[in-house]
């Protein structure tokens, strides 16, 4: 980390190393439109993928927390997609999103709907990556939610039933407040992970079309290992670190407004 911090103040192309002060940061912040394009794409990806992913993982965890026969089998089935390597998943979704031979547009055609070009259209490419991100909602986040749900005492639900609270009322006033520390944990990790999205964009689109899926870490990678501007790439890494640190601190500061622990205490 210290080395990358020093390199962020240098012009380094694997052959020559020249100290240039804050020029890399100046170029990124004032003269590099692709920097802001990649940052905007990434923020939009985070804005949609994180809430959808958290909601999906929570709903699956609630379903898998029910007392039904064959529960271990259902839990295994929902968790299996997260075990598929990211590269393999990207290749599978390339076929799914293919505008002519893809299964998604084939299914839409059976409903009388002409499917979009997905990854080949700048208008739908980014939303396609968001849709693909839901492939992993049954993975680690689901398990964490499931552990949190199993940690909620049955006595709370029994007391709520005596007061006439059932279904949505019980979920809203008992499950969500008691699960808020787990939601908070998954929210932080989800934002950090989504800001670092790389594999899907690298394998499926390479940042295209028309830079519609040029993610921040992909642009960082291009600067470092395609253009060999390692000083500029190091500066991008430290800017990303600052952004994630700021967002995490804001989340911790606002956690006291909605994160509850047993006994009604707030974070």
């Amino acid at each position: 980390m210290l080395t990358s911090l020093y390199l962020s103040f240098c012009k380094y192309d694997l052959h020559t190393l020249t100290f240039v002060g804050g020029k890399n940061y100046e170029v990124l912040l004032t003269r590099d439109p692709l920097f802001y394009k990649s940052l905007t794409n990434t923020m939009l990806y985070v804005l949609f993928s994180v809430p959808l992913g958290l909601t999906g993982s929570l709903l699956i965890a609630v379903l898998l927390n029910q007392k039904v026969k064959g529960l271990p089998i259902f839990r295994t089935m929902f968790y299996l997609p997260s075990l598929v390597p990211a590269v393999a998943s990207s290749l599978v979704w390339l076929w799914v999103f293919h505008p002519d031979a893809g299964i998604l547009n084939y299914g839409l055609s059976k409903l009388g709907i002409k499917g979009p070009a997905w990854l080949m259209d700048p208008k739908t490419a980014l939303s396609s990556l968001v849709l693909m991100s839901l492939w992993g909602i049954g993975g680690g986040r689901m398990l964490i939610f499931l552990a949190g749900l199993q940690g909620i005492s049955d006595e709370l639900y029994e007391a709520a039933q005596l007061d006439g609270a059932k279904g949505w009322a019980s979920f809203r006033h008992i499950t969500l407040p008691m699960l808020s520390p787990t939601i908070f944990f998954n929210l932080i990790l989800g934002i950090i992970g989504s800001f670092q999205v790389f594999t899907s964009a690298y394998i499926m689109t390479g940042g295209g079309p028309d830079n519609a899926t040029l993610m921040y870490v992909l642009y960082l990678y291009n600067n470092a290992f395609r253009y060999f501007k390692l000083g500029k790439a190091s500066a991008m890494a430290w800017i990303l670190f600052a952004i994630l640190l700021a967002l995490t601190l804001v989340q911790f500061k606002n956690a006291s407004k909605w994160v509850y622990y047993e006994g009604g205490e707030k974070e």
Side-chain angles (χ1 to χ4, degrees), residues 189-228:
L189 293 188
I191 291 177
I192 293 175
S194 295
F195 258 99
Q196 299 179 66
V197 61
F198 169 78
T199 305
S200 57
Y202 178 73
I203 296 294
M204 299 173 70
T205 64
D210 194 24
N211 295 318
T213 58
L214 181 63
M215 298 302 183
Y216 190 92
V217 175
L218 177 58
Y219 186 46
L220 188 157
Y221 170 87
N222 288 341
N223 275 290
F225 302 109
R226 289 185 63 186
Y227 315 138
F228 298 107

Side-chain angles (χ1 to χ4, degrees), residues 74-87:
F74 288 115
R75 289 177 177 174
T76 302
M77 290 174 60
F78 277 100
Y79 186 74
L80 278 177
S82 66
L83 297 179
V84 180
V87 174

Side-chain angles (χ1 to χ4, degrees), residues 97-167:
F97 285 129
H98 195 283
D100 299 321
I103 189 174
L104 188 55
N105 277 1
Y106 175 79
L108 291 174
S109 67
K110 292 299 181 180
L111 300 175
I113 302 173
K114 180 176 175 56
W118 298 111
L119 296 170
M120 299 182 183
D121 187 345
K123 296 180 180 179
T124 57
L126 186 60
S127 58
S128 300
L129 295 186
V130 173
L131 181 61
M132 177 192 167
S133 70
L134 301 181
W135 169 256
I137 60 176
R141 284 182 302 191
M142 179 203 72
L143 290 182
I144 295 173
F145 277 130
L146 188 58
L149 288 169
Q150 293 178 350
I152 301 176
S153 174
D154 292 336
E155 296 178 356
L156 295 174
Y157 293 106
E158 294 172 359
Q161 289 179 357
L162 293 175
D163 291 335
K166 297 181 180 179

